[in-house]
Structure formats: C-alpha cells, structure tokens
Amino acid sequence: MIQFKTEEEIEIIKESAQILGKAHGEVAKHVKEGVKTASLDKIAEEFIRDHHGVPSFKGYNGFPASLCISVNEVVVHGFPSQYVLKDGDIISIDCGVFHQGFHSDSAYTYPVGEVSPKVIELLNATKESLYVGIEKAVFGNRVGDIGNSIQKFIEAKGYTIVRELVGHGLGKQLHEAPEVPNWGERGSGAKLKQGMVLAIEPMVNLGTRNIVQERDGWTIRTADRKPSAHYEHTVAIFEDRTEILTTHRYIEENFKS
C-alpha cells in the first residue's frame, strides 16, 4: 500500500535530504586515488550523526555500513572495505539518512583520476537519464512512464538497464510501495498522486544487463564485469510540481576529479 505524505512530512524528508546532501559533499572531498573505501564510510557516518541524523543503511537487514560503495563492475550494495581507489576506477556511493522519523536516499557515481572516455560517457548518460525519468514523475502520470522514458533514453545510446533492481517509495520506511523500475511501458503502474515520495535510481551497464550476486549476499556486479553507473534522487509529487528533495550540489562543489 502506498503511503501518502502530508506537506509537513515532506518538509521533514527535505530536512533529512539536506543532511544527506551535505554528507555526500563531505565524502566527495575525499574521493581520490589512494583512499580506502572504508574511510569514506567513516566520514559519512560521523557527519550524519553529528547533524542529528542516523545512517539509514547501517544495520538494515544486516547491512554492515552507512554507505553502499560499488566500484567499477559492482552495480549496487557493495561493502566499504580496505580496497584502495586507483586511477581509472569509478565509484558509486549510495547513502540514506533517517531524521525525525523519515528517510531520504540518493546516490552518485564518481570517476577517479583518468577514466576512459567510453566510461565517462556511461556516467554522463546515466546521470542524464535520472533527470529524464524525473521529468515524467509528475502528477497524473504513472510509474511506468518514468521507467519507459529512462529505458528509451539509455537503450538509444547502446547501454543496458538492470531489470532486477528498482527505485522505490520511501518515507517512514526506507523501502515502501510502489516499486519504480527503470524500464517498462508507458501508462502502466501506479498513478502518481499528491504526497507520493519516490526514490528514482537508474542503474545502467556498459555491457550486458545481466547481474550476479556475490556470496556475501549483498554485492551485485555485472555478469560480464564491465562497468556500471548509478545515480539517484528522492522526489516528491505535488499536484502543481515535482520537487527534487535530495541534492548533488555539495558533491559537485567539493569533488575534484
């Protein structure tokens, strides 16, 4: 069942999302060659807790960290570790914040050092596809309109969409109805109404769309080990507008590639 939010509740989610955006910005300062991914997780957790939030992911169904850190061919749900970032890597950082009873959720994929042009093109296309999807996330449309627009945009560029993993509603719970696939048919799925809050998150692969789950029960990678990119925003649906509650602004201000 879809949980519709009041305007006051959406304001709380927006406050959560600002903590999240600034936490991403702190992490962004340290995304560079020679950095262990576990150190990024520590930075995020300390910032979130210092600003009256709780990391949404830590302990969620047993997940051990505050950040999902997914490098190169890892699509999502990678663990922070002793892995040291190196020139040519890409790293997807996904984070959530729980604040005053509500969650926010966002993700961003970074190039580290000199990344091949074809991988940079993948990142750019995936990021653009997020906003293509958001353009269709408007009152009166349906969930399928979001996924259809992302799918058409991505496949026209020769990339593939991960089918097994989807965006989602969120609010008092990190994952709520409805599911928001990044593919689908126009006019299908739940109708978008005032008070819906959605996490829209394209996951796009350079090669095959097929994925594999590692033995840790969490880490998802591409079957062909080619790179994958992931960007995400939390948005709220109003009758007269759609508002992006999360922000990548602090990332883009602080990240030095």
Side-chain angles (χ1 to χ4, degrees):
M1 182 181 294
I2 295 171
Q3 302 296 320
F4 295 94
K5 282 76 183 178
T6 66
E7 293 197 20
E8 291 77 14
E9 288 173 332
I10 290 171
E11 279 302 308
I12 295 172
I13 298 172
K14 192 172 182 179
E15 290 174 15
S16 172
Q18 283 299 303
I19 298 169
L20 173 57
K22 290 175 181 177
H24 270 298
E26 284 300 306
V27 171
K29 296 175 184 177
H30 301 274
V31 176
K32 61 188 73 174
E33 294 175 63
V35 170
K36 291 180 180 178
T37 61
S39 70
L40 302 176
D41 187 70
K42 183 179 179 182
I43 291 164
E45 180 169 1
E46 288 181 354
F47 185 93
I48 291 166
R49 294 191 188 279
D50 286 348
H51 290 79
H52 312 294
V54 176
S56 295
F57 298 173
K58 192 163 189 178
Y60 181 79
N61 291 337
F63 191 79
S66 298
L67 299 179
C68 293
I69 293 186
S70 305
V71 178
N72 296 330
E73 74 273 15
V74 178
V75 181
V76 287
H77 304 164
F79 292 171
S81 70
Q82 297 304 303
Y83 180 84
V84 177
L85 294 174
K86 64 182 186 297
D87 184 58
D89 282 342
I90 60 170
I91 173 174
S92 170
I93 298 179
D94 190 358
C95 188
V97 167
F98 184 69
H99 173 70
Q100 294 187 11
F102 290 88
H103 294 274
S104 57
D105 192 0
S106 68
Y108 195 93
T109 304
Y110 302 77
V112 179
E114 292 295 324
V115 174
S116 73
K118 69 178 182 179
V119 176
I120 291 293
E121 289 171 4
L122 170 70
L123 267 57
N124 290 341
T126 306
K127 184 178 180 183
E128 190 172 351
S129 77
L130 170 60
Y131 295 97
V132 167
I134 291 170
E135 285 180 3
K136 297 297 183 181
V138 296
F139 182 86
N141 275 2
R142 292 188 177 271
V143 166
D145 298 324
I146 300 171
N148 178 264
S149 65
I150 293 170
Q151 181 182 7
K152 282 187 172 180
F153 179 84
I154 286 300
E155 291 180 350
K157 292 182 176 293
Y159 305 122
T160 59
I161 293 283
V162 174
R163 301 290 184 99
E164 296 85 352
L165 302 162
V166 296
H168 51 92
L170 77 168
K172 291 182 178 179
Q173 303 298 319
L174 181 58
H175 293 97
E176 298 181 354
E179 291 189 344
V180 185
N182 298 301
W183 56 277
E185 296 183 7
R186 288 179 58 191
S188 66
K191 195 167 187 177
L192 302 180
K193 298 180 181 179
Q194 168 95 19
M196 291 175 71
V197 175
L198 308 174
I200 299 174
E201 50 178 324
M203 290 157 271
V204 178
N205 297 346
L206 186 63
T208 179
R209 70 173 179 85
N210 297 324
I211 58 174
V212 173
Q213 186 174 56
E214 301 288 17
R215 291 180 181 175
D216 61 25
W218 282 98
T219 305
I220 303 291
R221 66 166 173 84
T222 57
D224 59 8
R225 297 192 180 273
K226 291 184 178 180
S228 182
H230 175 215
Y231 292 82
E232 177 182 20
H233 272 313
T234 298
V235 306
I237 310 296
F238 297 89
E239 286 193 18
D240 60 345
R241 70 190 187 282
T242 295
E243 188 170 347
I244 301 175
L245 304 180
T246 46
T247 179
H248 292 155
R249 177 166 67 93
Y250 302 106
I251 293 172
E252 290 160 359
E253 288 175 355
N254 290 315
F255 176 59
K256 308 298 181 190
S257 61

